[in-house]
Amino acid sequence: MDCAEEVSLLRARLSRVAGVRDLRFDVLHARMDVEYAPAKVTPASIEQVVRAVGMRCEPWQAGPARLATRRERWRQALTWVSGLGLAAGMSWQLWQGTASVAALLAHQHGDRRMPALSLALFAVAVVAGAGHTLPRAWRTLRALRPDMNLLVVLSLAGASALGEWTEAATLAFLFALAGRLESWSMARARRAITRLLAVAPAEAWVVHGEHEHRAAVGAVSPGTLIRVRPGERIPFDGEVVGGTSLVNQALITGESVAVEKSAGGAVFAGAINESGTLEIRTTRPASDTTLARMVRMVEESRSRRSPSERLIERFSRRYTPAVLLLAFTVAIVPPLFRGGAWGEWFYQGMVILLISCPCALVISTPVSITAALASAAGQGVLVKGGAFLEEAARRPVLALHGEGVFPGYEEALRARGVEPVRLRDAEPGAMAALLRQYGSAGMLGDCVADAESLALASLGISLGRHGADMARESADVILMTDDPRRVLFLIDHARRALAVVRQNIVFALAAKALFLAAAFAGAATLWMAVAADMGATLAVTLNGLRLLHARPHLSE
């Protein structure tokens, strides 16, 4: 699973299976989480449904998947073969003095003269370029859910039938190249997220009296004494029992300045010990450190779709069939009722098929949201899903419980268009009244008494470092520091993320509109359509990945 079309196909089939309660997808890591009722459905039956749509699944294992790596290498090889076949075919045409290459660039068609070797090389380019597309197209055809893969296969068949082998080969290669560029952008986002969060050391120095030895972190239990030297990362959450040092815990709390730690001070896994040797008594196992929980929250947050993602998915389900109908109309109606040439109008219908591909539109939102969630986590702000990130960008009202929370920053909030409201009562009734008054409202809290109100709020924000566990569990956003000014970063970052999502959507739709106009004017070709779609997809992906670099907050 590596594209939005496959997610849509799996969701459509599995959501109809009795006993399947919830589905969550993470395209970046090719992961699907299924919540189901064991009494009604089994893992084997779920695997059977997945196989029925032409895919396969296996139990999730963290780390790189060898099968996925081999498959990606095979796709890269096919792309290279397609590109070399196209280049060799064009080169032979030039050597033979034919004008097919110039005709391709000048949008001239109808000349079917072609050297036999060029025809064979173009056929190789088409088969290799479409090698990964054909199985996907067949799956979507069987499921009656047409997508870009089916549109490309139809266009390849049509171009070949018209004798436009140069254009068919160019189309096959460009679409295969677009798939590799999409995989590259996803891999880049995946690596960036891994670098942000997966930094805890795999081993620790365990102290036994006067001796110490290296041990895998998984074998170290809570209460063990460990030693961390200057320049090393701290492998566990724990309490300092000996030594004094400056500790950089920016990865966890977002604080840019190192904090002095001495006996009695709490430290986090993943933090960097900068100046002195520390002896630390571990308080949590490696699988339950603050950093490990951050990683799990970010992993889970990617499966919670934002309103923008759900809207785009619903739009795409109706968009592709409508485009098929439009292309069929363009290809059939003019020749039947206005005496147009069948070959020319059939070609224009295929151009419309490809121009209208929703790839850039579909990928524009999840890449942006994923990058924004990861960079927020790197700043010590854990957002439990894209839906809550969008809520943070839109919330006009923020409830604060007690006078000591967020002291003196009401004006900073108002400057961002957010109205702070002090709640004298932590009971859920007070929050419910606020929701009735304003329609929607967020809340910032940190104690057990706030838990129910945080759960009830449109957006619950908890101070996580010393906040109550119940408050953190109920909240939608956790600030990993006691500095409530991080709320200002959350608001600014969420609004920047939403602005990027909107930029991507507008750009993707505008690009489609411009090329459709060119198609109706007769100035677009098949290879131009794929090149434009590839460019738009790459542009929105790179624009979304800019969110990996979060702007600093006020405390820095």
Side-chain angles (χ1 to χ4, degrees):
M1 178 184 72
D2 58 8
C3 68
E5 288 92 344
E6 290 177 338
V7 169
S8 179
L9 183 61
L10 287 169
R11 190 184 298 279
R13 295 298 295 269
L14 287 171
S15 61
R16 297 198 298 265
V17 175
V20 172
R21 296 169 176 165
D22 189 31
L23 295 166
R24 294 185 296 274
F25 297 90
D26 177 6
V27 177
L28 275 182
H29 291 84
R31 173 173 171 169
M32 175 179 71
D33 293 308
V34 183
E35 182 181 334
Y36 62 94
K40 295 183 178 180
V41 66
T42 64
S45 59
I46 293 173
E47 291 179 18
Q48 186 176 1
V49 173
V50 173
R51 284 196 300 271
V53 298
M55 301 174 68
R56 62 183 295 267
C57 62
E58 58 189 24
W60 171 257
Q61 292 181 350
R66 293 182 181 177
L67 180 62
T69 302
R70 288 199 300 268
R71 187 166 56 242
E72 185 60 29
R73 288 175 179 169
W74 174 245
R75 294 174 188 172
Q76 289 177 358
L78 288 177
T79 303
W80 274 105
V81 170
S82 179
L84 290 173
L86 174 63
M90 285 185 167
S91 298
W92 185 250
Q93 281 184 311
L94 288 172
W95 180 261
Q96 294 296 309
T98 57
S100 295
V101 176
L104 174 70
L105 297 176
H107 187 31
Q108 297 172 4
H109 303 281
D111 187 358
R112 303 294 183 264
R113 292 175 298 173
M114 181 176 295
L117 180 58
S118 291
L119 179 60
L121 289 169
F122 287 147
V124 169
V126 169
V127 172
H132 180 56
T133 307
L134 281 168
R136 290 181 167 185
W138 174 243
R139 287 198 298 266
T140 59
L141 183 61
R142 287 176 57 193
L144 299 179
R145 294 180 65 88
D147 68 353
M148 181 59 175
N149 297 286
L150 182 58
L151 302 187
V152 168
V153 169
L154 291 176
S155 297
L156 285 174
S160 302
L162 292 173
E164 303 289 352
W165 285 99
T166 307
E167 190 137 12
T170 306
L171 165 61
F173 168 65
L174 287 177
F175 188 68
L177 180 62
R180 303 291 65 74
L181 287 174
E182 183 177 339
S183 297
W184 167 81
S185 64
M186 287 293 189
R188 180 182 172 186
R190 185 162 52 243
R191 288 193 299 269
I193 292 168
T194 301
R195 285 196 300 268
L196 279 171
L197 299 177
V199 296
E203 294 183 324
W205 286 105
V206 177
V207 178
H208 293 287
E210 297 298 321
H211 305 283
E212 62 179 349
H213 70 276
R214 298 285 284 177
V217 293
V220 178
S221 58
T224 300
L225 185 65
I226 63 172
R227 183 172 291 146
V228 182
R229 292 174 174 81
E232 295 181 342
R233 286 192 181 270
I234 298 172
F236 292 93
D237 287 1
E239 181 180 337
V240 177
V241 296
T244 300
S245 179
L246 292 176
V247 174
N248 184 340
Q249 51 193 24
L251 178 67
I252 311 299
T253 66
E255 297 165 316
S256 60
V257 179
V259 180
E260 184 177 285
K261 298 290 183 179
S262 57
V267 292
F268 300 107
I272 302 173
N273 181 25
E274 292 191 343
S275 57
T277 299
L278 293 176
E279 292 192 349
I280 300 168
R281 184 77 63 183
T282 64
T283 56
R284 293 177 182 271
S287 60
D288 195 38
T289 64
T290 301
L291 180 62
R293 283 181 287 165
M294 284 175 63
V295 172
R296 283 197 295 271
M297 285 183 185
V298 173
E299 293 281 352
E300 293 168 0
S301 70
R302 287 199 295 269
S303 66
R304 299 188 180 100
R305 295 178 298 160
S306 69
S308 296
E309 290 177 279
R310 291 195 294 267
L311 176 63
I312 293 299
E313 184 176 322
R314 290 196 301 270
F315 173 77
S316 298
R317 283 202 300 265
R318 293 164 176 78
Y319 175 82
T320 304
V323 166
L324 280 171
L325 180 60
L326 174 62
F328 180 79
T329 303
V330 169
I332 298 296
V333 171
L336 282 179
F337 299 102
R338 300 184 62 183
W342 279 98
E344 182 64 27
W345 284 103
F346 183 65
Y347 182 88
Q348 292 301 324
M350 291 188 296
V351 171
I352 290 174
L353 279 180
L354 294 181
I355 288 174
S356 304
C357 162
C359 282
L361 184 63
V362 169
I363 202 174
S364 62
T365 301
V367 168
S368 303
I369 293 295
T370 298
L373 293 173
S375 59
Q379 291 289 321
V381 177
L382 291 182
V383 186
K384 295 182 180 179
F388 306 124
L389 191 71
E390 291 195 12
E391 282 285 337
R394 296 187 175 114
R395 286 285 63 79
V397 177
L398 182 65
L400 312 171
H401 176 220
E403 296 295 335
V405 178
F406 216 74
Y409 289 96
E410 286 90 343
E411 291 306 316
L413 282 171
R414 290 192 177 97
R416 287 166 169 77
V418 178
E419 180 63 29
V421 177
R422 291 283 177 185
L423 291 182
R424 306 295 180 183
D425 187 357
E427 292 299 318
M431 190 68 225
L434 196 65
L435 290 171
R436 286 193 298 270
Q437 180 180 354
Y438 291 99
S440 62
M443 180 178 177
L444 177 65
D446 62 353
C447 62
V448 174
D450 295 330
E452 288 189 62
S453 294
L454 286 170
L456 188 62
S458 306
L459 179 72
I461 306 172
S462 169
L463 295 175
R465 191 169 172 186
H466 292 121
D469 288 342
M470 189 177 295
R472 287 197 296 268
E473 291 296 324
S474 302
D476 307 311
V477 179
I478 301 175
L479 309 182
M480 299 304 296
T481 176
D482 293 331
D483 183 2
R485 287 177 297 177
R486 203 58 56 86
V487 173
L488 305 180
F489 163 79
L490 170 64
I491 294 170
D492 293 342
H493 185 64
R495 288 177 177 173
R496 180 182 173 223
L498 193 57
V500 169
V501 167
R502 288 169 175 165
Q503 290 167 13
N504 283 347
I505 292 173
V506 169
F507 178 81
L509 291 175
K512 296 302 174 192
L514 287 174
F515 235 84
L516 273 176
F520 282 112
T525 65
L526 291 177
W527 71 268
M528 289 179 184
V530 174
D533 182 71
M534 180 174 63
T537 300
L538 188 60
V540 299
T541 299
L542 294 178
N543 191 41
L545 290 178
R546 290 192 302 115
L547 292 168
L548 284 171
H549 307 287
R551 294 171 181 170
H553 52 81
L554 291 180
S555 61
E556 296 185 346

